[in-house]
């Protein structure tokens, strides 16, 4: 199981049987991305000063990756009889959000309230923050969990000569 997990997912979890550690966990990377999603977002900003309003509206395309921080405990525990397997893993998280394209939909200074380079930089930073929040509120973390459990199930069932029940340990 450890060899096949490493072959497919590029890390080796700690493997125990009946409480005895058979293989210690190793990881050559610290994060494991199991889901990648492309998405689009929009962000609008405006600031009024003495009746003069400046506005910026942006649209963009992003790529988000979700998965696991492998610096946290990740283990597969096999029962003494080998019929049940319980995984212990960190919660899935958004690992990265990268902006691929940006479109300026509106860039408008007020009559005496002019847009500055600092305004534009601030709006770009807020746009990325907004995109991160939006993807974090989606179902990408559930998808990351499902993908990993499906992959582990495929690997373990392929190697097991008997039916195996796989479950995830409850989170603390």
């Amino acid at each position: 199981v450890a060899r096949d997990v490493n072959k497919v997912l590029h890390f080796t979890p700690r493997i125990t049987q009946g409480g005895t550690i058979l293989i210690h966990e190793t990881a050559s990377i610290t994060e494991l991305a199991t889901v990648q999603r492309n998405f689009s977002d929009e962000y609008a900003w405006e600031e009024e000063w003495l009746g003069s309003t400046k506005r910026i509206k942006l649209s963009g395309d992003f790529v988000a990756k979700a998965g696991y921080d492998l610096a946290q405990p990740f283990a597969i525990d096999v029962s003494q009889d080998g019929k049940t397997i319980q995984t212990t893993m960190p919660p899935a998280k958004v690992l990265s959000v990268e902006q691929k394209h940006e479109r300026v939909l509106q860039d408008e200074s007020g009559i005496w309230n002019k847009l500055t380079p600092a305004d534009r930089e601030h709006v770009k930073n807020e746009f990325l923050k907004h995109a991160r929040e939006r993807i974090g509120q989606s179902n990408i973390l559930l998808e990351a969990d499902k993908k990993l459990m499906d992959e582990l199930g495929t690997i373990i069932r392929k190697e097991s000569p008997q039916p195996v029940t796989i479950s995830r340990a409850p989170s603390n």
Side-chain angles (χ1 to χ4, degrees):
V1 169
R3 181 185 64 247
D4 288 342
V5 167
N6 189 293
K7 186 188 300 181
V8 173
L9 302 174
H10 308 291
F11 78 98
T12 303
R14 182 188 76 215
I15 307 287
T16 64
Q17 184 168 17
T20 303
I21 296 175
L22 302 176
I23 299 173
H24 286 277
E25 61 190 325
T26 61
S28 58
I29 58 172
T30 59
E31 294 178 331
L32 172 66
T34 57
V35 175
Q36 177 176 299
R37 181 183 296 168
N38 297 320
F39 70 103
S40 297
D41 198 13
E42 284 189 3
Y43 182 76
W45 172 88
E46 69 178 37
E47 183 178 88
E48 184 179 334
W49 180 64
L50 297 174
S52 178
T53 304
K54 54 186 173 182
R55 294 178 178 89
I56 299 175
K57 185 173 182 181
L58 302 174
S59 173
D61 300 320
F62 296 85
V63 176
K65 293 181 182 179
Y68 300 89
D69 177 357
L70 298 180
Q72 296 183 20
F74 193 109
I76 297 172
D77 298 307
V78 181
S79 66
Q80 191 65 38
D81 63 6
K83 291 184 179 181
T84 60
I85 294 175
Q86 187 169 55
T87 62
T88 303
M89 62 182 117
K93 69 179 195 174
V94 175
L95 299 173
S96 66
V97 176
E98 180 184 353
Q99 186 172 5
K100 292 296 190 179
H101 300 98
E102 177 183 279
R103 291 170 294 287
V104 178
L105 303 177
Q106 185 176 26
D107 185 300
E108 181 180 298
S109 287
I111 295 171
W112 50 79
N113 189 13
K114 304 295 183 191
L115 282 170
T116 66
D119 291 333
R120 289 181 180 93
E121 186 67 26
H122 169 74
V123 171
K124 285 184 181 194
N125 291 335
E126 289 299 310
F127 184 28
L128 183 55
K129 181 179 170 185
H130 182 266
R132 287 180 192 278
E133 289 170 359
R134 183 165 166 247
I135 198 68
Q137 295 167 354
S138 74
N139 66 349
I140 195 169
L141 300 180
L142 293 174
E143 285 183 43
D145 264 346
K146 182 179 180 339
K147 178 69 174 166
L148 182 60
M149 290 302 288
D150 289 350
E151 290 289 337
L152 289 173
T154 298
I155 293 165
I156 291 167
R157 288 186 179 96
K158 182 182 99 181
E159 294 298 321
S160 177
Q162 59 189 348
V164 175
T165 301
I166 303 169
S167 64
R168 183 172 179 171
S171 301
N172 292 340

